[in-house]
Amino acid sequence: MHIIKRFYLALFLLLAMSSSFAFAAPGRFEQELSGPSWRIWLDRAAQWIDDDLYLPPVDIASLPVNPPTGGWENMDKSFNRTVSVPGTVEEYFWSANGNPVGIAGDYRGVSWWSTTFRAAPALKGKRILLAFESVNLRAEVFVNRKLAGYDVIGNTPFDVDVTGAVTFEGDNRLDVRITDPGGTFSWNDENLIVWGKNRLPSVHGFGGITGRVFLRAVDAVQVNDIYVQNKSDPRKAEVFVVIGNSSGAPQSGKVTLRIQAWKNPSDVLWEKTVSETIPPSGKEISLAVDAPKAKLWDIREPNLYMAAVSFASDDGRLLDSMSRRFGFRWFDTGEMDGDKRLYLNGKRVFIFAAMTRGFWPKAGMFPTPEMAKKDMETAMSLGFNMMLYHRAIGQPPSIEMADETGMLAYEEPGGYLCRPAPDAAAQAWRREKLRRMVIRDRSHPSMVIFNLDDLSYAAPTEIDKENITMVHTLDPSRIVTYNCIIAPKIPEVPDDPMKMHMKPFDQKLYYHGWTSPYHLIRWGGYLDEFYRNPRYYLRYVIDPIADMGDSLHPISKDEIIFYGEEGDMGGPLQLEKIKNELARTGATGWREGEHLDWYNSFNRFLDESGYRSSFPTVDDFTLALGERMHYFHGRILENARISNKVDAYVLNGWATEATHTDIVDAYRNPTGDPSILRYYTQPLYVAVKLRKKVLPPGAVTVADIYIVNEKNLNGKFNLALALENPSGEIVHAKSFPVAILGGEEFGQLLVEDFRMPPVSAPGYWKLKATLADEKGTVRASGYDDIFVADYLKGPGITGRIAVIDTSGVIKSFLKQSRGVIAEDFDSNVPFYDYLIIGAHDYSRVRNLGVPKNSRPTDPIMDRVACGTTLVILDQAESWAARMAGFDYPAVKFTGSAHWGKQGHLFVGKSPLFSGLPMSRAMNWEYQVFYRGDVWGLRFGRAGVETVVGLAANQTDEVLNALSRVPFGTGQILITTLPILTELASTRPQSVVAKKLFLNMLEMSEKKSEP
């Protein structure tokens, strides 16, 4: 935002008391019109679909005029709500159509936003401007019922000259007619918006005045723009000043530039005055600033300054002033030993970025100052150092807060990737939006990278090359990239058009040197194979299919490796915290009622299911569900950091939508325990990398030990490793002398192939590492966990067991693990203690044992009613429907859902999980259950014990992944977990599934808590 000094304000007020004066006093006046004194009306009958649209520049006199439907007088009668600007229709009228579900409550069409303002008589003779920070999408600006301004670009600043429309006596009426033609409420910014015969680049689907509004009064010569251009010497800058002149004649005067501390104008760092003559066409001047005493703007050290510019004509009749906030800093690429790296102020920097898509609570499209502050503070508290404005242009309050907190920023205009291909109008539309974005944001010290497109599979066209060159011309001091995320190629192409980018103060288009691969992870959590050894681990090898294959190539160090979109999991919101917030503010905003419904649904589930003893509150429950995602990102971020090759890790995502969320929710509350991610974002710690974390007793695992070192720790140290058993006793210890390089070596391997003795007792083991200097002072530490599950020991299985299993896996496993001989099911045998359903063709066993031409019977369900325990490991959906059938109804069943990596498995307290982690969501210990298809059954709550539940990040529904259903004197254990496939697996991690299966037989009669 331009920060304007009000010259001669006291004189203005004095003159305002008199109705007669000859000339306005020289100087600029500014008043903010945004705030709570606006009224809104939805003009539902307005015609807009078939409107012609006009791109800037526009001739207001030639445009059609669209007054309120029914006339101005009737509109005055229709205003029934006072609102605040910035604001959106969705903020105040979400679900006004009676449907609050999803995005059905969206309003498309025309809304009127009205207020009044006064222009003091002392302002006569000046140009009167209305400055809009942002609207969405089309704005038709009326002053005293006269069309004075028009803009259809949306989401960017524009000014309206209202000099001929204002009155200087009494109130002026301001009416802004906003047209919202549609848009997206998700991440997708690719599909063109259809507006009659027009096709528009995509935007978010909110309508309103989405930024601040200012009234400005300026003299005939005015400062129109200030651009502070940083230099490679970070304490130098060049300030470009654009001065306009509407007087019709050249005007001579003095231009003064003063560099002063933000919030302390008397602290002047640098000052210069030059004589200039401003022609009627205006003029751009530049002043080189050399400030050796300047404090640099840096990450978490936001030293800010103001570039204050004033123009005073030689005759004293014309005066104007304007300020621009900035910081002294320099961001660029560099190279060491053939490795391209990122540097801030001459020091290497590793970027950990939050990928936000510009959604906010209540209003949807912009943050309140309080929310913008919370957004940055939450990100920094988790260890992020960049906010990446992805698929949507950044909002000024957010970028300003990035400046003030010391958070780097990266920005895309949103809607640049148009599908189908844009016509000439859509091309001009997105180009103008891109141009405005760069001019608006090019002085922000936080902003270090501009990007055009996102996940384009098409090579850049000549128009794309023109656009990236335009950005570089407007701001040659920043890195500009064409594509945010790229599907990596194997082998890498030396010159790939998708990697097109430009470097600071370099006019060349480069096609190598910057790569931004993305990975939408295949499985929904951390797997042991994500780290195999120091030469083979996730994000050290190029990985186009989001999984670990066998023919992968290490990443190249001759490019900036900017991992552009890592993972695409999610976690439920902190619903209880949001509920409490909405109790204070009211659930009036877009989709906020759904948050309350979601909270109530989870709250009922905790009561009805018995899970309240495991998760006392709804937020205890949701935070547990988010743990797996937080842990995954922490471990893979660690992989990127220890490689010492990766330059940036962009986490997907950050408050993605109102109900679809990621590492934080829409209200910027972390969706998991914040300490998980904070551990892996420490600037200095010992990274302990276990090659296997889930083991059976007697197994041996290996660790590799690294240091993550962004603190320049260097020299000779002693690395001590200690293995603790579940009782906390150290059972193995060893020390190693190590030499820490420090400097730019942010990741360094210290010890490879550290082999530990066999783990024995079940439970959690911990490998601890401490790094001490020669005086014995511990300078860094770290750890990793092992979980041991023992399925070979148990109370034993008694009774007669039958199986239906064409694979033979179940019989083989029971014999190997317990020495039990299981029979093939025989319908002539009157009773079995256990019947286990394995692999089978359900159509063949549906009527197994039913005599022909007899009344329908179900011999399997009959046996359960008489005391058999039925264990169903395969084709759970068919068996669930059978359990709800006409003759043997045992449950209410309405189908199933496959949620994949978005599904969150969780377990409460159950004897079936004896020897396994309980009262928690399933994290890395249970990795065998989420490495495949994660799905669940829709059972009614009555009569069903949810042993393993399944929740997701975009619904209030809770499914069943392992259920116990009493039936007669028997019971049914039915699961969608991939237990059957793990019984035959030789992977050590399968020990958890094997333990659970045997518990289902050995512990199923125990109904009480362990």
Side-chain angles (χ1 to χ4, degrees):
M1 180 183 74
H2 298 177
I3 300 178
I4 314 298
K5 286 189 173 182
R6 301 182 182 184
F7 282 87
Y8 299 97
L9 182 55
L11 179 59
F12 286 165
L13 295 176
L14 178 64
L15 290 175
M17 299 177 189
S18 171
S19 60
S20 62
F21 62 92
F23 299 101
R28 172 178 294 215
F29 172 82
E30 180 170 297
Q31 176 186 351
E32 184 171 354
L33 301 183
S34 37
S37 59
W38 290 69
R39 298 180 298 166
I40 186 173
W41 173 56
L42 305 187
D43 193 350
R44 299 179 187 275
Q47 301 299 307
W48 58 275
I49 289 287
D50 296 320
D51 284 357
D52 290 324
L53 302 179
Y54 305 93
L55 294 174
V58 296
D59 177 9
I60 291 295
S62 66
L63 296 184
V65 177
N66 297 306
T69 302
W72 291 99
E73 291 76 12
N74 286 330
M75 183 178 77
D76 286 341
K77 300 174 184 177
S78 300
F79 282 121
N80 58 4
R81 189 159 194 173
T82 301
V83 299
S84 186
V85 165
T88 63
V89 172
E90 288 70 21
E91 176 181 3
Y92 297 108
F93 292 97
W94 187 255
S95 73
N97 63 355
N99 187 350
V101 178
I103 63 169
D106 181 32
Y107 174 75
R108 296 186 181 185
V110 172
S111 60
W112 288 85
W113 300 72
S114 300
T115 191
T116 60
F117 65 91
R118 290 202 170 194
L123 300 181
K124 269 187 179 180
K126 294 180 179 292
R127 289 183 65 209
I128 310 300
L129 306 172
L130 292 176
F132 290 83
E133 196 172 67
S134 174
V135 302
N136 197 50
L137 181 67
R138 180 179 65 179
E140 296 164 276
V141 181
F142 293 82
V143 174
N144 298 324
R145 300 182 179 180
K146 178 182 179 181
L147 181 64
Y150 178 100
D151 190 76
V152 76
I153 298 300
N155 302 290
T156 52
F158 66 96
D159 291 348
V160 177
D161 191 330
V162 297
T163 306
V166 299
T167 177
F168 297 95
E169 302 292 338
D171 288 342
N172 288 277
R173 174 166 172 164
L174 171 59
D175 295 285
V176 185
R177 185 179 189 262
I178 297 292
T179 308
D180 171 10
T184 177
F185 290 92
S186 73
W187 57 269
N188 191 355
D189 73 331
E190 301 173 4
N191 300 327
L192 289 165
I193 298 174
V194 178
W195 184 342
K197 61 179 178 289
N198 303 289
R199 299 295 183 269
L200 285 63
S202 182
V203 294
H204 287 344
F206 303 93
I209 302 176
T210 54
R212 293 162 287 200
V213 183
F214 296 90
L215 171 70
R216 291 185 185 137
V218 296
D219 292 344
V221 175
Q222 65 278 329
V223 181
N224 288 332
D225 188 36
I226 300 171
Y227 161 41
V228 181
Q229 186 182 93
N230 295 105
K231 299 297 181 181
S232 57
D233 181 339
R235 289 183 172 83
K236 293 182 179 181
E238 188 168 5
V239 179
F240 293 85
V241 182
V242 178
I243 302 178
N245 180 3
S246 59
S247 70
Q251 299 290 338
S252 297
K254 300 281 192 302
V255 177
T256 298
L257 169 62
R258 180 181 293 110
I259 305 299
Q260 57 198 37
W262 180 51
K263 292 186 175 181
N264 186 10
S266 64
D267 183 3
V268 177
L269 183 70
W270 186 93
E271 185 174 3
K272 187 172 184 178
T273 299
V274 295
S275 297
E276 294 286 346
T277 298
I278 311 301
S281 59
K283 187 175 186 179
E284 180 181 87
I285 65 173
S286 67
L287 295 166
V289 177
D290 187 351
K293 294 183 180 180
K295 296 179 181 179
L296 299 185
W297 187 97
D298 211 329
I299 296 170
R300 301 176 186 269
E301 295 182 20
N303 296 301
L304 292 168
Y305 292 89
M306 301 297 295
V309 175
S310 63
F311 171 84
S313 62
D314 291 339
D315 60 12
R317 296 176 58 187
L318 301 175
L319 182 68
D320 197 32
S321 178
M322 178 180 174
S323 298
R324 180 77 75 191
R325 195 173 68 179
F326 75 102
F328 288 94
R329 64 107 184 97
W330 181 247
F331 184 86
D332 201 353
T333 62
E335 187 173 308
M336 176 173 282
D337 299 328
D339 183 11
K340 283 190 168 59
R341 297 171 175 179
L342 296 172
Y343 292 86
L344 177 61
N345 299 330
K347 298 179 181 179
R348 186 187 183 190
V349 60
F350 175 87
I351 286 177
F352 181 39
M355 192 178 70
T356 182
R357 295 179 173 94
F359 289 97
W360 301 89
K362 209 167 285 293
M365 201 164 194
F366 61 86
T368 63
E370 296 77 16
M371 189 55 65
K373 183 177 182 181
K374 180 179 180 181
D375 184 51
M376 291 299 164
E377 289 178 345
T378 302
M380 298 193 82
S381 73
L382 291 171
F384 291 91
N385 58 14
M386 173 180 276
M387 188 62 66
L388 190 150
Y389 299 99
H390 179 65
R391 290 184 179 260
I393 190 171
Q395 302 85 3
S398 178
I399 301 173
E400 290 166 10
M401 193 55 62
D403 291 343
E404 294 174 23
T405 56
M407 176 78 78
L408 297 172
Y410 171 128
E411 188 173 31
E412 303 169 16
Y416 188 91
L417 174 60
C418 299
R419 292 177 177 161
D423 58 17
Q427 289 174 1
W429 203 304
R430 69 180 186 180
R431 180 182 174 90
E432 175 62 13
K433 183 180 180 183
L434 180 64
R435 186 189 72 85
R436 291 186 185 183
M437 180 191 82
V438 174
I439 292 174
R440 185 193 74 177
D441 296 335
R442 60 188 177 178
S443 293
H444 286 287
S446 60
M447 190 65 62
V448 294
I449 300 171
F450 288 127
N451 178 70
L452 273 63
D453 211 337
D454 178 75
L455 194 57
S456 175
Y457 293 100
T461 64
E462 289 304 312
I463 292 175
D464 295 320
K465 295 177 183 178
E466 291 172 5
N467 287 343
I468 197 171
T469 302
M470 175 194 71
V471 172
H472 192 266
T473 300
L474 291 170
D475 180 7
S477 69
R478 282 177 174 82
I479 295 167
V480 189
T481 54
Y482 165 65
N483 214 6
C484 174
I485 48 179
I486 306 164
K489 295 178 174 62
I490 297 178
E492 291 188 90
V493 178
D495 288 315
D496 184 351
M498 306 303 291
K499 298 177 181 179
M500 182 174 70
H501 65 283
M502 297 187 76
K503 301 177 183 179
F505 299 113
D506 187 337
Q507 301 301 317
K508 181 180 177 181
L509 288 171
Y510 288 89
Y511 299 95
H512 187 79
W514 185 284
T515 188
S516 186
Y518 79 106
H519 306 90
L520 306 183
I521 194 72
R522 175 171 290 184
W523 314 126
Y526 184 78
L527 307 178
D528 281 356
E529 55 259 47
F530 288 166
Y531 180 86
R532 295 185 182 179
N533 59 57
R535 287 156 294 282
Y536 201 84
Y537 54 90
L538 201 66
R539 304 304 174 260
Y540 179 74
V541 293
I542 294 176
D543 164 21
I545 59 172
D547 195 11
M548 296 291 283
D550 294 321
S551 58
L552 305 180
H553 299 258
I555 56 177
S556 172
K557 70 177 185 177
D558 69 341
E559 295 193 291
I560 296 295
I561 308 299
F562 202 100
Y563 279 133
E565 189 169 327
E566 291 299 295
D568 58 335
M569 294 175 277
L573 296 75
Q574 274 202 54
L575 294 167
E576 193 155 2
K577 194 168 186 178
I578 292 173
K579 177 189 75 82
N580 294 336
E581 173 68 11
L582 295 181
R584 183 180 65 85
T585 64
T588 57
W590 78 291
R591 302 193 74 173
E592 287 185 331
E594 288 183 74
H595 298 157
L596 298 182
D597 292 342
W598 197 352
Y599 167 82
N600 291 331
S601 179
F602 275 5
N603 202 42
R604 285 193 302 271
F605 168 77
L606 295 179
D607 284 332
E608 296 171 358
S609 65
Y611 270 81
R612 183 74 70 183
S613 62
S614 295
F615 307 107
T617 70
V618 169
D619 277 355
D620 289 331
F621 180 50
T622 60
L623 288 170
L625 296 178
E627 177 183 307
R628 181 197 57 170
M629 173 183 56
H630 284 242
Y631 185 79
F632 165 83
H633 278 297
R635 295 316 303 257
I636 306 308
L637 172 65
E638 183 177 69
N639 281 7
R641 297 179 77 188
I642 64 175
S643 74
N644 203 42
K645 285 186 179 181
V646 176
D647 301 290
Y649 183 101
V650 182
L651 191 153
N652 177 9
W654 184 265
T656 304
E657 300 161 30
T659 56
H660 179 118
T661 192
D662 297 282
I663 213 77
V664 299
D665 62 31
Y667 285 77
R668 276 51 182 183
N669 304 310
T671 54
D673 182 349
S675 67
I676 298 172
L677 198 55
R678 284 174 188 152
Y679 175 84
Y680 296 103
T681 59
Q682 296 177 84
L684 174 65
Y685 74 100
V686 180
V688 179
K689 304 297 289 188
L690 287 163
R691 301 184 188 179
K692 294 288 187 294
K693 288 171 57 65
V694 182
L695 298 169
V700 173
T701 189
V702 174
D704 302 305
I705 314 299
Y706 299 78
I707 185 172
V708 172
N709 183 12
E710 296 181 23
K711 287 290 190 179
N712 192 27
L713 187 70
N714 62 88
K716 295 181 179 180
F717 296 85
N718 180 68
L719 175 67
L721 303 177
L723 178 64
E724 288 185 358
N725 67 14
S727 299
E729 302 166 330
I730 296 176
V731 297
H732 183 66
K734 192 171 183 180
S735 294
F736 301 86
V738 294
I740 308 298
L741 298 176
E744 292 192 7
E745 302 308 297
F746 284 1
Q748 181 185 345
L749 177 64
L750 302 181
V751 173
E752 181 178 356
D753 198 26
F754 175 65
R755 294 185 175 271
M756 289 160 278
V759 291
S760 52
Y764 286 97
W765 297 63
K766 188 182 295 288
L767 179 59
K768 292 183 174 181
T770 56
L771 194 66
D773 60 24
E774 293 177 332
K775 296 180 180 180
T777 303
V778 174
R779 304 293 297 276
S781 62
Y783 70 93
D784 202 358
D785 292 312
I786 305 166
F787 179 71
V788 176
D790 188 359
Y791 73 91
L792 294 176
K793 293 182 180 179
I797 306 171
T798 58
R800 196 168 184 181
I801 301 176
V803 299
I804 297 175
D805 179 29
T806 57
S807 70
V809 167
I810 296 173
K811 292 172 71 173
S812 175
F813 177 75
L814 288 174
K815 183 177 181 181
Q816 172 265 326
S817 62
R818 290 294 184 269
V820 171
I821 304 299
E823 311 170 30
D824 290 325
F825 175 73
D826 184 346
S827 60
N828 294 314
V829 175
F831 179 77
Y832 291 104
D833 293 284
Y834 301 95
L835 173 56
I836 307 170
I837 309 297
H840 65 287
D841 180 348
Y842 181 76
S843 63
R844 295 191 175 206
V845 303
R846 183 185 313 165
N847 298 314
L848 194 65
V850 179
K852 291 182 179 181
N853 303 317
S854 67
R855 175 182 172 83
T857 60
D858 189 329
I860 292 176
M861 295 296 286
D862 271 347
R863 283 164 173 77
V864 176
C866 293
T868 295
T869 292
L870 174 65
V871 179
I872 301 169
L873 304 181
D874 186 45
Q875 300 190 53
E877 187 168 18
S878 296
W879 284 91
R882 181 171 181 166
M883 292 162 59
F886 178 77
D887 291 295
Y888 293 87
V891 293
K892 292 181 180 180
F893 174 65
T894 55
S896 64
H898 294 249
W899 287 343
K901 58 193 170 187
Q902 304 294 342
H904 302 272
L905 297 162
F906 61 93
V907 60
K909 298 175 182 177
S910 170
L912 301 187
F913 277 78
S914 177
L916 297 171
M918 284 187 275
S919 294
R920 61 174 302 169
M922 291 185 172
N923 199 349
W924 58 270
E925 301 93 331
Y926 291 102
Q927 58 188 268
V928 293
F929 292 150
Y930 56 67
R931 66 171 294 119
D933 186 18
V934 179
W935 64 293
L937 303 172
R938 290 188 170 103
F939 281 144
R941 294 274 165 254
V944 178
E945 178 187 346
T946 302
V947 182
V948 176
L950 176 62
N953 62 316
Q954 208 165 356
T955 176
D956 63 358
E957 189 175 18
V958 178
L959 307 181
N960 285 41
L962 172 57
S963 306
R964 176 184 171 274
V965 180
F967 189 75
T969 57
Q971 62 182 337
I972 304 169
L973 299 173
I974 181 170
T975 186
T976 61
L977 301 174
I979 293 174
L980 184 62
T981 57
E982 294 302 318
L983 296 183
S985 174
T986 59
R987 289 192 301 245
Q989 299 85 0
S990 67
V991 65
V992 171
K994 294 170 181 176
K995 176 67 173 175
L996 176 57
F997 171 66
L998 291 172
N999 282 351
M1000 292 165 71
L1001 303 179
E1002 296 175 329
M1003 311 295 289
S1004 60
E1005 293 184 2
K1006 297 182 180 180
K1007 308 302 189 295
S1008 60
E1009 295 177 1

